Amino acid sequence: MDHMPNVSLGVAVIGTGFMGKCHAMAWNNVSTVFGGARPRLATLCDANAEAATALAGSWGFEQGTDDWEAAIADPAVDVVSITSPNGLHRPMAEAALRAGKHVWLEKPMALTLSDAEAMTGLAASLPNQQTMLGYNYLRSPAFQAARAMIANGDLGEVHSFRGVYDEDYSADPTIPWNWRNTKEHGGLGVLGDLSCHMVAQMTELMGDVSSVTALTQTVVAQRPSPDGMKPVENEDSVVAMVEFASGAQGSFCSSRVARGRKCRLQWEIHGTLGSIVFDQENMNELWVHTAGTDGFMRHLTGPDQPDFTAFCPAPGHNFGFNEQKTIEARDLLRAIAGGPNRGPDFVQGLQIEHIIHAMAASNGRRVTIG
């Protein structure tokens, strides 16, 4: 395939949780789906050495270790997938870049805006290293089709965006306190965990953000721990008004305590000639309205949408989360081989961080995005 490496690249994956497993599956599947040389899975790393060693074999890795610094420094490793807790994103990513490795880093990019700025500066000084952030929802064929429709002018002049990203994984107040509830290890709350995905989609579809006005809320102020009740230091929900550089306007809501919601990453875009509606809970369909028709038409995911055919030749068959991760791996490999970096790379990721940190700091004030 175009721009796919013709030599096998060595891969290290850091983390064996849900996202580490997603990266391992993507690296195992990418050449089967898209061609090119099969990546060599060199090292699986986890803080639990027994887990790393046990899973390395079944996941297809040559070895397991609990030493992430050694895994990064290994000359047999060319690409590092980082799926660790948020507080380790900066040190691991910077170590990998300094060691001459390409980096696939899960979101959020960093704990703080200053961390993200430092990471971006380092990456910019090392142009031979490719970076990519794990905003996998951008790879959905339905999303790619919607983006193409907007770029082609099918909606006319786009003037309005409405976005919601709700889940309920923190709605139960008896759920134990953990590192995600702290600024030191988790950073932002729902803004860093969920909302950044919505920002990534919003900016891809609508362009640059010029300002935000937001309010955040911590609904569950304390959570139980073995040492007693501990405070939740970051936000559970956010509501925001958004102004785009184009002159368009938008609204933005996100919550990790929305009872009954599982992955309601939903957006609606209005233009002078039409509208598009998407909901991640029904990720294999777009609803499109065009001028001159009475309502919306349902468009099922199928071979007419980007990247679908590589997995399945038949329309109406469901696309999934892990297929999106495989496309991410493909895009990173293409960038390494000299093709364009579809991103978000660290430069684009920094813009996402500027927006979510502006929302966190707004407290009802209009904050300009520089």
Side-chain angles (χ1 to χ4, degrees), residues 192-275:
D193 197 26
L194 299 182
S195 309
C196 57
H197 275 298
M198 177 60 74
V199 170
Q201 294 210 349
M202 178 177 74
T203 52
E204 281 277 317
L205 296 169
M206 300 291 295
D208 292 340
V209 171
S210 58
S211 74
V212 298
T213 306
L215 290 170
T216 61
Q217 181 182 30
T218 303
V219 175
V220 183
Q222 294 182 315
R223 291 192 177 275
S225 80
D227 301 319
M229 300 297 289
K230 288 190 175 183
V232 174
E233 299 174 2
N234 47 32
E235 75 289 342
D236 286 325
S237 64
V238 59
V239 295
M241 294 182 294
V242 182
E243 296 175 286
F244 298 94
S246 66
Q249 297 179 339
S251 62
F252 184 107
C253 301
S254 188
S255 175
R256 63 185 181 186
V257 292
R259 290 278 187 177
R261 293 299 183 183
K262 303 306 175 186
C263 191
R264 188 197 181 196
L265 196 169
Q266 183 183 66
W267 47 259
E268 182 167 338
I269 292 175
H270 301 154
T272 55
L273 297 178
S275 301

Side-chain angles (χ1 to χ4, degrees), residues 162-184:
R162 298 175 185 171
V164 178
Y165 193 178
D166 289 340
E167 295 195 15
D168 67 355
Y169 61 84
S170 291
D172 184 349
T174 67
I175 293 173
W177 180 94
N178 62 57
W179 61 268
R180 290 186 182 276
N181 302 133
T182 71
K183 292 183 178 179
E184 180 181 2

Side-chain angles (χ1 to χ4, degrees), residues 28-323:
N28 271 299
N29 293 336
V30 64
S31 62
T32 301
V33 178
F34 293 110
R38 179 179 174 84
R40 182 175 53 80
L41 305 189
T43 304
L44 180 64
C45 182
D46 193 86
N48 184 326
E50 290 185 4
T53 300
L55 291 172
S58 61
W59 289 9
F61 287 83
E62 295 172 0
Q63 63 178 350
T65 182
D66 62 354
D67 188 341
W68 65 264
E69 292 174 305
I72 287 173
D74 186 348
V77 169
D78 303 294
V79 187
V80 181
S81 282
I82 301 171
T83 72
S84 62
N86 302 349
L88 291 169
H89 284 191
R90 179 181 176 180
M92 287 181 174
E94 290 187 341
L97 288 170
R98 291 193 175 101
K101 319 297 184 178
H102 308 285
V103 176
W104 184 7
L105 174 65
E106 276 306 312
K107 43 58 60 186
M109 187 172 173
L111 289 177
T112 66
L113 187 56
S114 60
D115 282 347
E117 289 171 339
M119 294 160 67
T120 303
L122 177 60
S125 72
L126 299 167
N128 292 328
Q129 270 91 264
Q130 297 293 329
T131 60
M132 179 171 289
L133 292 162
Y135 286 102
N136 52 281
Y137 298 124
L138 300 176
R139 267 63 184 189
S140 160
F143 176 83
Q144 294 188 62
R147 179 173 53 192
M149 291 178 64
I150 293 169
N152 292 337
D154 294 353
L155 300 190
E157 181 182 351
V158 173
H159 55 76
S160 178
F161 173 90
R162 298 175 185 171
V164 178
Y165 193 178
D166 289 340
E167 295 195 15
D168 67 355
Y169 61 84
S170 291
D172 184 349
T174 67
I175 293 173
W177 180 94
N178 62 57
W179 61 268
R180 290 186 182 276
N181 302 133
T182 71
K183 292 183 178 179
E184 180 181 2
H185 300 292
L188 296 176
V190 70
L191 281 164
D193 197 26
L194 299 182
S195 309
C196 57
H197 275 298
M198 177 60 74
V199 170
Q201 294 210 349
M202 178 177 74
T203 52
E204 281 277 317
L205 296 169
M206 300 291 295
D208 292 340
V209 171
S210 58
S211 74
V212 298
T213 306
L215 290 170
T216 61
Q217 181 182 30
T218 303
V219 175
V220 183
Q222 294 182 315
R223 291 192 177 275
S225 80
D227 301 319
M229 300 297 289
K230 288 190 175 183
V232 174
E233 299 174 2
N234 47 32
E235 75 289 342
D236 286 325
S237 64
V238 59
V239 295
M241 294 182 294
V242 182
E243 296 175 286
F244 298 94
S246 66
Q249 297 179 339
S251 62
F252 184 107
C253 301
S254 188
S255 175
R256 63 185 181 186
V257 292
R259 290 278 187 177
R261 293 299 183 183
K262 303 306 175 186
C263 191
R264 188 197 181 196
L265 196 169
Q266 183 183 66
W267 47 259
E268 182 167 338
I269 292 175
H270 301 154
T272 55
L273 297 178
S275 301
I276 302 178
V277 178
F278 173 79
D279 188 339
Q280 179 66 25
E281 289 184 349
N282 297 288
M283 65 171 288
N284 286 286
E285 53 188 51
L286 283 175
W287 290 86
V288 180
H289 168 77
T290 54
T293 61
D294 290 333
F296 283 84
M297 180 176 291
R298 180 178 180 232
H299 290 255
L300 291 178
T301 300
D304 60 325
Q305 296 178 344
D307 290 324
F308 184 93
T309 305
F311 295 90
C312 178
H317 290 65
N318 287 350
F319 208 81
F321 186 96
N322 287 296
E323 283 83 355

